[in-house]
Amino acid sequence: MMSGDVGDINTLLKVFDTTMIQNAKAYAPEDREKILKHVEVTVGYTKLNHSVNKVIRRWVMDTLVAEFEKMNGSKGMKNNHDGHNQDDLQDEKLSRLCYNVGSVMYENGEYDEALVYFKNILKKELNPTVDQKSFSANAYNQIGIVYSAKGAYENALVEYCKALEIRLKVLGRDHPNTAESYNNIGSVYFQKGDYENALIEHRNCLEIQLKALGPDHPSTAASYCNIGMVYHEKGDYKNALIEHRQALEIRLKALGPDHPSTAISYNNIGLVYSAKGDYENALVEHRKALEIELKMLGPDNPDTAESYNNIGVVYDEKGDYENALVEHRKALEIRLKVLGTDHPSTAESYNNIGSVYFQKGDYENALVEYRNCLEIQLKALGPDHPNTATSYNNIGS
């Protein structure tokens, strides 16, 4: 496993995430029923599934870390058979293992640990080849992704710009990886609320993708989607719909009507309709997304939860609080099962349920839900994250 790419490792972890205790087998059917019944009435499937998956994920990470420490300890050994020093090769292997460990740490929400491993790559003097320079750019890019997840947008911008500088020199402006850097910089500006600069960067990205990948490529669709999101936040709903429909058209052609990315486009169009106050059309679009997700991803998937969440928000905005609670609780149930109790998306569900209670004038239950949200955010995002600040504000109001 250690020689594998980080994509292989993340695929393995996703398999663990979908492991369900209730699907376990037993030699005797009656034994299985007794065991599962005991689980159901004691700890429950959700808590046990999450605990087992967490233990397995921890084992994978500990194994990766042990391999890293082993390689780091053996660095500098010479090959006595041919007299060649193996330090350069060892450094490259060690750096790539650092990248894998950091990526797994990031996927598991261990952002500070991920930063340690990614930054360790940049301490090493790697061979000045095109491949190694590109690898350093990838490391800067990953550091930027981690900082962005932490809400440290200024730090993220610095790292993304370092990655872009290298990619422009090594790969040129018209390379897809250069486009990725423009996209990531645009995303940071978007998070900071600097929508004009976000549009500039996302258009830079789109320009490259149209040239390098073509107008019908899924990555090109993603750029139209990102531009649509910027227009949405600017309140320019007409242009937002144009961009999201362009993304949808590409996805229908390139990926088909039942692809999860097609569902994302329907959700984005629904969000624009909701912002316009056109709640009926919003519900139509969100339900299209939900139908695809239930069919292709199943009921216990984070994207499915997101659609239930979006439908709940529309009902909330319509003043239909009972249906809003139903949908938000569906989202929460899935997120607890699939993502666990300490995930930011689980916090979002608690926040949204709290918001519905607040709108209903049920302030006691609103406080309970807002505090559930805050507890997770303090643990998962830290006290300085913008979402954490919003929760303090909700509780104070």
Side-chain angles (χ1 to χ4, degrees), residues 1 5 48 72 79 88 95 106 129 148 165 182 223 279:
M1 184 181 74
D5 183 86
L48 186 57
N72 200 31
N79 185 333
D88 290 343
S95 293
Y106 166 75
T129 62
S148 186
E165 184 180 359
Y182 283 121
S223 283
Y279 301 127

Side-chain angles (χ1 to χ4, degrees), residues 36-90:
L36 294 184
K37 185 65 178 176
H38 180 71
V39 170
E40 187 177 3
V41 300
T42 54
V43 295
Y45 293 136
T46 297
K47 188 173 182 179
L48 186 57
N49 283 331
H50 180 63
S51 297
V52 170
N53 293 336
K54 189 174 181 181
V55 168
I56 297 173
R57 291 175 72 89
R58 185 75 259 168
W59 172 79
V60 171
M61 286 190 290
D62 288 347
T63 303
L64 283 167
V65 170
E67 183 71 10
F68 167 78
E69 291 174 350
K70 178 182 174 183
M71 286 183 68
N72 200 31
S74 65
K75 180 187 173 299
M77 294 176 63
K78 297 180 184 296
N79 185 333
N80 293 325
H81 297 290
D82 58 13
H84 292 151
N85 194 308
Q86 297 296 302
D87 282 359
D88 290 343
L89 181 60
Q90 192 75 357

Side-chain angles (χ1 to χ4, degrees), residues 111 145-153 191 344-345 347 373-374 376-393:
Y111 300 139
I145 289 172
V146 178
Y147 276 130
S148 186
K150 284 168 62 71
Y153 300 126
Q191 294 294 333
S345 293
C373 174
L374 177 62
I376 296 170
Q377 289 170 333
L378 285 169
K379 190 181 298 185
L381 303 175
D384 300 326
H385 195 280
N387 290 356
T388 308
T390 299
S391 287
Y392 278 121
N393 183 67

Side-chain angles (χ1 to χ4, degrees), residues 157 160-161 164 180-190 201:
L157 196 56
Y160 284 144
C161 287
L164 175 62
E180 180 194 31
S181 285
Y182 283 121
N183 175 75
N184 290 343
I185 292 169
S187 295
V188 172
Y189 280 129
F190 178 82
E201 300 301 330

Side-chain angles (χ1 to χ4, degrees), residues 51 90 112 123 134 163 168 196 203 288 297 334 346 371:
S51 297
Q90 192 75 357
D112 291 333
K123 292 178 183 177
S134 295
L168 284 168
E196 293 308 316
R203 284 175 176 150
K288 287 179 185 176
L297 304 174
I334 296 168
T346 306
R371 284 172 177 152

Side-chain angles (χ1 to χ4, degrees), residues 2-151:
M2 293 306 112
S3 62
D5 183 86
V6 67
D8 298 328
I9 296 165
N10 285 336
T11 299
L12 177 63
L13 291 175
K14 286 175 183 176
V15 171
F16 292 150
D17 281 342
T18 58
T19 300
M20 298 293 180
I21 298 299
Q22 55 267 45
N23 295 333
K25 307 295 183 184
Y27 181 76
E30 60 271 20
D31 289 343
R32 178 181 183 275
E33 293 306 316
K34 287 178 183 176
I35 292 168
L36 294 184
K37 185 65 178 176
H38 180 71
V39 170
E40 187 177 3
V41 300
T42 54
V43 295
Y45 293 136
T46 297
K47 188 173 182 179
L48 186 57
N49 283 331
H50 180 63
S51 297
V52 170
N53 293 336
K54 189 174 181 181
V55 168
I56 297 173
R57 291 175 72 89
R58 185 75 259 168
W59 172 79
V60 171
M61 286 190 290
D62 288 347
T63 303
L64 283 167
V65 170
E67 183 71 10
F68 167 78
E69 291 174 350
K70 178 182 174 183
M71 286 183 68
N72 200 31
S74 65
K75 180 187 173 299
M77 294 176 63
K78 297 180 184 296
N79 185 333
N80 293 325
H81 297 290
D82 58 13
H84 292 151
N85 194 308
Q86 297 296 302
D87 282 359
D88 290 343
L89 181 60
Q90 192 75 357
D91 273 342
E92 289 181 20
K93 287 182 177 178
L94 196 59
S95 293
R96 293 184 187 279
L97 183 58
C98 274
Y99 190 93
N100 285 352
V101 176
S103 296
V104 173
M105 293 287 186
Y106 166 75
E107 290 293 333
N108 205 45
E110 299 186 22
Y111 300 139
D112 291 333
E113 292 86 347
L115 284 174
V116 170
Y117 283 96
F118 288 132
K119 289 180 177 180
N120 192 63
I121 296 169
L122 301 170
K123 292 178 183 177
K124 301 186 179 301
E125 293 291 332
L126 300 179
N127 292 329
T129 62
V130 169
D131 182 58
Q132 291 304 326
K133 286 180 180 177
S134 295
F135 184 66
S136 294
N138 292 344
Y140 283 120
N141 187 68
Q142 289 300 115
I143 293 170
I145 289 172
V146 178
Y147 276 130
S148 186
K150 284 168 62 71

